Amino acid sequence: MWLPCRCAAKYVAASFSRGVSASFLHALRRNRSSWNAAAFMPESSGFEGVSGRDALHDYSVSHSESFWAAVARQRLSWIRPFDVVQDCDLSQGRISWFEGGKLNVSVNCLDRHVHTCPERVALIWERDEQGSEVRYTYKELLEMTCRLGNLLRRQGVKKGDCVTIYMPTCPLAVASMLACARIGAAHNVVFAGFSAEALAERIRDAQSSTVITVNQGVRGGKITELKRTVDAAVRSCPSVQQVFVAMRTEKQVEMTDRDFVLEEEMLKEDDVLFLLYTSGSTGKPKGLVHTQAGYLLYAAFTHRYVFGYHDGDVFGCVADIGWITGHSYTVYGPLANGGTTVLFESTPVYPDPGRYWEMVERLRINQFYGAPTAIRLLIKYGDQWVKKYDRSSLTTLGSVGEPINTEAWEWYNRVVGEGRCPVVDTWWQTETGGICIAPKPSEPDAEIVPGMAMRPFFGIKPVLMDTEGKVLTSNNTSGALCMAQPWPGMARTIHNNHQRFIETYFQPYPGYFFTGDGAYRSEKGYYQITGRLDDVINVSGHRIGTAEIEDVVNQCPAVAESAVIGYSHSIKGQGVYAFVVLKKGVDIQEADISKQLNNMVSEKIAKYACPEFVQFAKRLPKTRSGKIMRRVLRKVVECDLDSLGDLSTLDDPAAVQEIIKGHEKLLSK
Ligand code: 6R9
């Protein structure tokens, strides 16, 4: 994976921008005796006996090697220093400079300046349309370059390949050149005025597999059909496997299987830090993509302020690193803050239910971050397991993963924290990268309401939406939880499926990020999460899509169809309940099939996703259009028969009665 800023910090050398100003030269000519060689060219302080411009020139010719060596060391950032300044023999045509040295041109042109002056303008694009210039800072140019470099890499461009760039003068052309430099590919820029034939000849000679172009060029008010020229050229270039097309104008051009819209492809690329798969409402898990600077900043910043983490504290997040909580608050947040973090390999009840608190005492943990499901489990074992141990090091207690019920919250606060430690119920998601809503930070004596995430973090602007997609502005109201503004920690895309990313998070409420959760905003404006609005359930703080479980259940040869529903579970938060319709003529004991289904789910997904109950039914309640009425099944499972709701769209209402009977029978077993 390409890490864009890898070399930057380490090898930042002096800036290249020490130019020779005109006024300086003027002064030089006027008064040679006052010429300060070191100020003019710092390297010259090491050149013996050099006092004037002419002497400097003499030196550069007579001591060519030491002159160029000094300049190269001073003005470029090297990954590895060179061994030999030059090895040239003009009579033989042998030319070699800085042998053994290694540098990255793009790091030299971009990263080191981003390090010192990210907002400096690097490019002013004077567009054909007069007066519509666009400025790009070093930071922006670096970002564009990294995305392009990552894209080229992903598409198989390797060190030593040659990319043909057939573009007018524009920032994407510059970024394309630097991107090639970054990944070690050569570029072959072909003047965009050349004909298809001339272009083809150059592509063939360079053996390029990749061409970057624009849909149309604009020059002197005239449009040129550059993509069409590339199409014609590529016909006689068998080496070309892919063509990236940037959109200089709005005009759609014909695209083949080999062609990609450059900007769209670039959007999918970034300085990817990690993928983390999480469940959605379809059977296929989503590989959410998090990137570097934004994610890291957000993880570190929330870690510092939500938990009041200070230098020297010991932070104990007991989440597994296989979940986002482990990523952000076991690994990245604490480490970015230079903190000490505990990696908890065990379980809350091993070797006994005092494990967490014994660990707190032994490691002197200051902030403890865990899940409500574990708290509920520990409550059952009694307070003595907690009180046995010294918890005076604790300053803050965190909760994450699912709504924390009041009983669990109060126990956590009263028994574990002895009423001294604020309990922070932190709401966030794999998608958000870090905590978005939490009681802290707040004024020191501000209230904390049990079981409420309460306050949006810095930079977070939550809104609630009604069913029509309108923003609810009043308090004491519930709706779909969305975010009205971006923040640095948010995921960038779904791996290999940017379209799904857009459809899931940005299309439900255009202009907003949709979380998939419902929330209530209290009279005082505090937020309380009410749960998922989609077919995702939360078992012991682990997200799982019901469709994912159904997929596995349906793979069982005896199963005709199934519906998986979440129901309230006193410890896990939610449990899995499966309705299963068997194929006609199946002659296997139901208990055996249940066992088989459990094995399949635990093998193909995980143990926590196994159905607690399997109810066999002759058929499932369906609408006339054939959709399973999951809402009805949910009510049956929750034993809430009074609010089955409108059954008028049901294909056959008798199916519901059968389901209710079957459910009663199962519970009475
Ligand atoms: C961090 C994490 C995200 C889903 C989220 C919501 C639920 C998380 C919560 C909470 C109520 C909290 N959730 N924290 N619900 N109160 N404090 O858990 O990420 O695994 O992606 O799950 O978990 O439903 O949408 P993830």
Side-chain angles (χ1 to χ4, degrees):
M1 204 165 286
W2 176 241
L3 306 176
C5 298
R6 200 165 37 184
C7 322
K10 221 163 150 191
Y11 301 102
V12 168
S15 159
F16 207 10
S17 56
R18 281 187 211 96
V20 184
S21 79
S23 60
F24 187 85
L25 277 181
H26 184 67
L28 193 68
R29 268 180 226 116
R30 240 186 15 233
N31 186 359
R32 273 169 194 265
S33 62
S34 70
W35 196 68
N36 181 343
F40 173 71
M41 188 187 289
E43 297 91 333
S44 64
S45 60
F47 304 155
E48 219 169 296
V50 170
S51 56
R53 191 261 167 224
D54 292 347
L56 184 56
H57 180 263
D58 288 348
Y59 185 88
S60 71
V61 182
S62 60
H63 296 79
S64 156
E65 285 208 7
S66 47
F67 179 85
W68 288 117
V71 173
R73 283 191 196 106
Q74 169 84 9
R75 314 238 164 194
L76 295 176
S77 301
W78 295 87
I79 296 168
R80 190 172 62 221
F82 47 87
D83 308 315
V84 183
V85 183
Q86 62 131 325
D87 175 21
C88 302
D89 181 346
L90 294 185
S91 69
Q92 309 250 337
R94 185 175 73 236
I95 318 284
S96 165
W97 283 91
F98 309 120
E99 213 21 72
K102 199 171 160 202
L103 56 67
N104 186 301
V105 167
S106 142
V107 168
N108 272 274
C109 292
L110 300 174
D111 300 56
R112 56 187 185 151
H113 312 307
V114 169
H115 212 67
T116 51
C117 43
E119 299 308 324
R120 183 186 291 173
V121 173
L123 306 176
I124 305 176
W125 182 22
E126 174 66 1
R127 287 154 40 96
D128 194 55
E129 299 85 341
Q130 197 171 26
S132 71
E133 72 270 18
V134 187
R135 291 178 166 75
Y136 288 79
T137 64
Y138 270 94
K139 197 165 137 225
E140 289 165 336
L141 182 57
L142 174 64
E143 201 204 310
M144 202 170 12
T145 303
C146 288
R147 278 176 191 260
L148 241 158
N150 287 342
L151 170 62
L152 293 176
R153 258 200 189 189
R154 171 164 64 87
Q155 294 294 110
V157 177
K158 296 182 302 298
K159 197 171 162 63
D161 289 351
C162 182
V163 174
T164 295
I165 301 171
Y166 184 67
M167 296 171 106
T169 305
C170 63
L172 270 173
V174 176
S176 301
M177 297 160 75
L178 290 167
C180 289
R182 205 166 183 87
I183 66 171
H187 57 68
N188 163 34
V189 179
V190 178
F191 171 55
F194 275 139
S195 67
E197 213 166 296
L199 172 61
E201 195 185 335
R202 287 160 175 76
I203 294 175
R204 275 197 305 268
D205 192 71
Q207 293 178 314
S208 278
S209 61
T210 303
V211 178
I212 309 179
T213 188
V214 296
N215 60 338
Q216 297 181 310
V218 189
R219 197 143 183 259
K222 289 199 191 76
I223 297 283
T224 46
E225 301 291 343
L226 294 188
K227 167 66 166 58
R228 210 179 288 162
T229 310
V230 170
D231 286 343
V234 163
R235 257 174 243 138
S236 62
C237 299
S239 61
V240 173
Q241 284 158 15
Q242 51 194 355
V243 176
F244 294 104
V245 185
M247 300 298 281
R248 171 61 176 87
T249 65
E250 309 258 291
K251 178 86 191 308
Q252 294 299 321
V253 292
E254 212 183 297
M255 301 286 276
T256 68
D257 286 351
R258 177 205 62 205
D259 303 331
F260 301 91
V261 176
L262 182 64
E263 292 90 339
E264 261 175 35
E265 294 300 312
M266 279 171 68
L267 259 187
K268 300 176 191 169
E269 292 301 327
D270 211 320
D271 45 343
V272 172
L273 176 63
F274 63 83
L275 310 185
L276 187 62
Y277 283 85
T278 190
S279 299
S281 44
T282 72
K284 195 171 153 50
K286 302 175 277 197
L288 283 155
V289 174
H290 278 287
T291 58
Q292 308 202 0
Y295 168 80
L296 192 65
L297 177 72
Y298 197 71
F301 202 46
T302 46
H303 171 250
R304 163 73 185 82
Y305 287 102
V306 172
F307 298 99
Y309 185 86
H310 288 99
D311 262 1
D313 286 351
V314 177
F315 193 79
C317 169
V318 291
D320 191 283
I321 55 160
W323 307 103
I324 190 70
T325 308
H327 279 57
S328 301
Y329 299 106
T330 303
V331 180
Y332 288 113
L335 294 185
N337 285 333
T340 301
T341 184
V342 176
L343 304 181
F344 185 68
E345 194 183 32
S346 196
T347 84
V349 290
Y350 180 80
D352 59 49
R355 178 61 184 261
Y356 278 168
W357 324 118
E358 184 275 332
M359 173 176 77
V360 165
E361 175 184 299
R362 183 163 36 86
L363 306 182
R364 304 296 299 158
I365 289 173
N366 302 103
Q367 292 87 4
F368 181 87
Y369 195 24
T373 180
I375 302 297
R376 286 192 296 266
L377 177 69
L378 294 178
I379 292 177
K380 294 209 185 305
Y381 289 95
D383 300 2
Q384 72 279 10
W385 288 107
V386 186
K387 293 191 170 152
K388 239 172 118 170
Y389 301 103
D390 174 16
R391 285 152 287 122
S392 60
S393 59
L394 287 176
T395 57
T396 304
L397 299 171
S399 166
V400 63
E402 55 179 312
I404 179 163
N405 49 312
T406 317
E407 188 203 354
W409 192 97
E410 305 224 299
W411 185 83
Y412 202 23
N413 182 48
R414 181 174 49 80
V415 180
V416 177
E418 300 168 308
R420 283 183 301 108
C421 309
V423 170
V424 287
D425 172 12
T426 61
W427 176 86
W428 59 294
Q429 314 175 292
T430 305
E431 293 83 343
T432 69
I435 295 164
C436 287
I437 309 182
K440 293 268 179 185
S442 62
E443 297 292 328
D445 46 3
E447 68 174 326
I448 296 185
V449 184
M452 266 203 180
M454 298 181 77
R455 303 181 174 94
F457 189 72
F458 300 119
I460 297 295
K461 194 173 165 192
V463 289
L464 298 179
M465 297 288 183
D466 68 10
T467 44
E468 258 110 66
K470 282 209 201 68
V471 175
L472 293 158
T473 51
S474 60
N475 281 350
N476 192 13
T477 185
S478 296
L481 179 65
C482 293
M483 299 295 165
Q485 268 181 24
W487 65 99
M490 67 195 299
R492 301 300 196 256
T493 187
I494 291 174
H495 181 59
N496 272 340
N497 204 342
H498 194 63
Q499 193 51 34
R500 185 173 178 198
F501 185 66
I502 292 169
E503 282 164 13
T504 311
Y505 303 110
F506 303 97
Q507 263 169 15
Y509 300 95
Y512 297 85
F513 168 84
F514 174 48
T515 65
D517 280 330
Y520 163 73
R521 186 168 50 225
S522 76
E523 206 55 76
K524 291 180 177 168
Y526 300 144
Y527 288 87
Q528 178 170 35
I529 310 306
T530 47
R532 300 289 309 185
L533 298 172
D534 51 17
D535 284 320
V536 173
I537 58 181
N538 193 323
V539 184
S540 304
H542 303 326
R543 269 166 75 166
I544 180 81
T546 51
E548 256 172 277
I549 306 177
E550 284 164 11
D551 263 7
V552 175
V553 170
N554 294 345
Q555 283 169 29
C556 175
V559 171
E561 64 175 346
S562 67
V564 168
I565 306 288
Y567 70 96
S568 313
H569 186 287
S570 65
I571 290 180
K572 299 179 181 178
Q574 282 189 295
V576 179
Y577 193 111
F579 292 92
V580 172
V581 178
L582 294 179
K583 284 184 187 148
K584 290 225 157 57
V586 168
D587 187 24
I588 312 174
Q589 291 282 313
E590 287 181 352
D592 291 339
I593 296 180
S594 285
K595 219 179 273 159
Q596 202 177 330
L597 294 179
N598 266 286
N599 288 341
M600 287 175 72
V601 174
S602 90
E603 198 176 289
K604 295 199 187 254
I605 306 177
K607 256 213 160 81
Y608 73 83
C610 286
E612 206 99 357
F613 295 98
V614 179
Q615 177 178 339
F616 294 93
K618 283 210 184 66
R619 54 194 167 152
L620 298 174
K622 289 191 181 163
T623 62
R624 273 176 224 119
S625 63
K627 278 214 174 78
I628 298 172
M629 296 269 281
R630 310 177 60 84
R631 172 177 60 83
V632 171
L633 293 175
R634 227 173 274 138
K635 294 288 177 194
V636 172
V637 168
E638 293 283 3
C639 301
D640 189 7
L641 301 183
D642 293 339
S643 48
L644 287 179
D646 180 18
L647 299 180
S648 60
T649 55
L650 264 179
D651 185 32
D652 178 5
V656 179
Q657 292 313 315
E658 286 172 23
I659 289 285
I660 293 173
K661 277 215 189 83
H663 177 245
E664 280 166 1
K665 210 167 122 200
L666 189 64
L667 291 195
S668 66
K669 267 190 193 161

